[in-house]
Amino acid sequence: MAFEYAIKHGHFRITTLHKTNVMRLSDGMFVKACRDVSACYPDVEYKEEKLDSFCLHATTNPGRYDVLLTTSLYGAFVSAVCGTMSGGLATVPAAAYGPKAAVFSTVSDYGYSNHCRSEDDCVVVRMPYEREPIVNPTGMIRAAAWMLDHAGMVFAGRRIAGALETAIQRGVRTLDMGGDASCEQFTDAVINNLESPILSDGGGGGGGGDEKCCHTSS
C-alpha cells in the first residue's frame, strides 16, 4: 500500500524506519518484507533508517524525507514528531488505508492529543476565564478533504483544502496557531471561502497542490 500510495500522489522516495539493532526478529521480518516489495517498484527510491537516527535528522533537516514507511508502534512516535514540527497535532490529518476500505480522522481529539494519557500530560489551549478547550478543526477538515480525494471526488477535496488554506493565509487562526478565533469562527471562515467565486474552480489558497505532511504506513 505504501508504494502504491506514493506513486499515486507523485512521491518517489520512501524511507523505512526500524530498530533492527534491538527488535531483531520482528523488525528484521518487517524490513525484509519492505525490501522484497521495493524490488517491484524500481522507479521509487528506497532507503532504510533507524528510528532514533530519523528523529535526529527530521528535526534538523526534514527535507531529506518524503514518504515514511514504518510499523504502527513507531508510527505513533513519528506522527507526534512530524505533527508538532508542522504546526501541532491538531493541524495534521490521519488516514489508515486497506485493500478494501480506508478510515480518515485526525490525530487530535477535542483539544487533546491521542498520544496523551490524561489532561495533565497535554498542553490544552483554553479561552480566558473559561474551562472549555478550544478545538482546532484544521486536522479534521484536512482529513475530510483526503477522504473525498480517496473516494474519487478530487475536485471537492481540493476545494475544501483550498478554502482551509485561504482562511489560514488570511490570518484566521485558533489560539494554538497564534490567533484568537474560536472553532466556530474558524469553521465559518472556511465555509465562507468555499462559497467564494475565487474557489469555484478548485483553486485558491494553494489547496490544489501537495500538502507537506508526513505519511506513515504499516
Side-chain angles (χ1 to χ4, degrees), residues 3 12-16 30-35 38 44-48 69:
F3 287 86
F12 296 92
R13 290 187 295 128
I14 290 183
T15 303
T16 291
F30 171 70
V31 170
K32 182 181 183 303
C34 292
R35 290 174 183 170
S38 69
V44 178
E45 180 184 348
Y46 175 76
K47 294 183 178 180
E48 298 167 2
L69 174 59

Side-chain angles (χ1 to χ4, degrees), residues 135-180:
V135 181
N136 183 342
T138 301
M140 186 60 72
I141 295 174
R142 282 177 170 158
W146 279 12
M147 179 183 66
L148 291 172
D149 181 78
H150 181 73
M153 304 173 67
V154 179
F155 176 77
R158 289 184 175 180
R159 281 200 65 198
I160 292 176
L164 172 68
E165 300 305 327
T166 298
I168 295 175
Q169 290 175 7
R170 290 177 177 174
V172 183
R173 303 175 183 181
T174 52
L175 292 180
D176 57 317
M177 299 172 69
D180 58 2

